[in-house]
C-alpha cells in the first residue's frame, strides 16, 4: 500500500507559487460526509496556508461520487475559476458498483481537465474499508485533502 510509505499531508515546496489571486472550486460529494468534510477542511486549510484567499474558494456539493465529474465540468467552464478540486469517497462493497464509479470518475475528471485546459484534481478516496478512508482523511496516513490542494497549486505553477 503506497500510503503506508508516505503521509498524504506531507509535501515539498520546490517551487513557490503565488496563489493569492487564484480562484479554486471545490466539488464535494455529499456521500460519506464524515470523510468528505474532513477532506474539504484540509483542502481549504492548505489553500489558505499557501496564500489563497477565502473569498477565492468556492464550494459546490453534489449528491455522490458519480456526479463529481459533471460538477467539475460546470465549475471548470467558468472562466474565472483557475483550478477545480473534486472530493469524494467510494468504499469497496460486495458488488462491482465500486469499480464502475471509480473508473468513471477518474476518466471524467481527466476529460474535464483536458477539455478546459485547467487543473481538475482527483481527490476521490477509493478504500476497501471505512477505516482505511478515515486513515486517509486525517488519520494515520494524513489527509488526501492536503495532497489534492497541493496538486492543484503545483499544476497551476505549470501554467505560469
Amino acid at each position: 500500500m503506497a500510503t503506508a510509505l508516505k503521509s498524504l499531508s506531507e509535501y515539498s515546496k520546490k517551487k513557490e507559487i503565488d496563489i493569492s489571486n487564484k480562484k479554486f472550486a471545490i466539488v464535494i460529494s455529499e456521500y460519506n460526509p464524515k470523510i468528505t468534510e474532513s477532506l474539504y477542511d484540509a483542502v481549504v486549510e492548505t489553500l489558505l496556508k499557501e496564500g489563497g484567499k477565502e473569498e477565492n474558494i468556492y464550494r459546490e456539493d453534489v449528491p455522490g461520487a458519480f456526479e463529481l465529474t459533471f460538477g467539475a465540468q460546470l465549475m471548470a467552464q467558468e472562466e474565472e475559476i483557475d483550478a477545480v478540486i473534486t472530493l469524494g469517497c467510494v468504499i469497496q462493497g460486495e458488488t462491482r458498483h465500486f469499480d464502475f464509479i471509480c473508473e468513471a470518475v477518474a476518466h471524467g475528471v481527466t476529460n474535464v481537465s483536458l477539455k478546459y485546459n485547467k487543473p481538475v484534481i482527483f481527490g476521490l478516496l477509493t478504500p476497501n474499508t471505512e477505516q482505511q478512508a478515515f486513515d486517509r482523511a486525517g488519520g494515520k496516513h494524513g489527509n488526501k485533502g492536503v495532497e489534492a490542494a497541493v496538486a492543484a497549486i503545483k499544476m497551476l505553477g505549470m501554467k505560469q
Side-chain angles (χ1 to χ4, degrees):
M1 178 175 298
T3 51
L5 306 175
K6 171 188 179 293
S7 171
L8 296 169
S9 297
E10 295 175 4
Y11 57 96
S12 84
K13 290 185 159 189
K14 289 183 182 178
K15 182 179 177 185
E16 293 293 323
I17 300 160
D18 179 11
I19 63 167
S20 61
N21 293 316
K22 301 294 184 187
K23 295 186 184 210
F24 297 87
I26 304 167
V27 181
I28 178 172
S29 168
E30 294 174 342
Y31 207 79
N32 293 312
K34 289 180 185 174
I35 296 159
T36 58
E37 290 299 331
S38 179
L39 297 173
Y40 174 80
D41 291 344
V43 168
V44 172
E45 182 179 311
T46 303
L47 292 175
L48 295 175
K49 177 182 164 189
E50 294 303 321
K53 295 181 181 168
E54 199 166 337
E55 62 269 19
N56 291 339
I57 300 171
Y58 305 93
R59 175 183 173 141
E60 290 295 333
D61 292 45
V62 295
F66 190 77
E67 293 78 24
L68 287 170
T69 55
F70 184 66
Q73 180 169 294
L74 290 176
M75 299 309 331
Q77 72 186 11
E78 297 296 326
E79 202 167 305
E80 70 273 7
I81 297 296
D82 296 293
V84 178
I85 300 169
T86 62
L87 300 175
C89 178
V90 180
I91 300 170
Q92 175 73 2
E94 296 178 4
T95 68
R96 296 185 58 214
H97 177 79
F98 173 89
D99 299 319
F100 296 123
I101 296 298
C102 296
E103 185 174 348
V105 175
H107 287 294
V109 166
T110 301
N111 290 338
V112 171
S113 185
L114 296 173
K115 179 178 181 179
Y116 292 99
N117 199 33
K118 60 178 71 173
V120 180
I121 306 303
F122 182 80
L124 181 70
L125 289 178
T126 58
N128 291 318
T129 67
E130 186 177 56
Q131 185 56 53
Q132 287 178 345
F134 283 118
D135 290 346
R136 289 153 182 79
K140 68 181 180 180
H141 294 301
N143 195 308
K144 178 79 171 175
V146 173
E147 184 183 68
V150 170
I153 294 167
K154 288 185 175 189
M155 294 306 293
L156 285 172
M158 291 183 70
K159 292 181 74 173
Q160 292 181 342

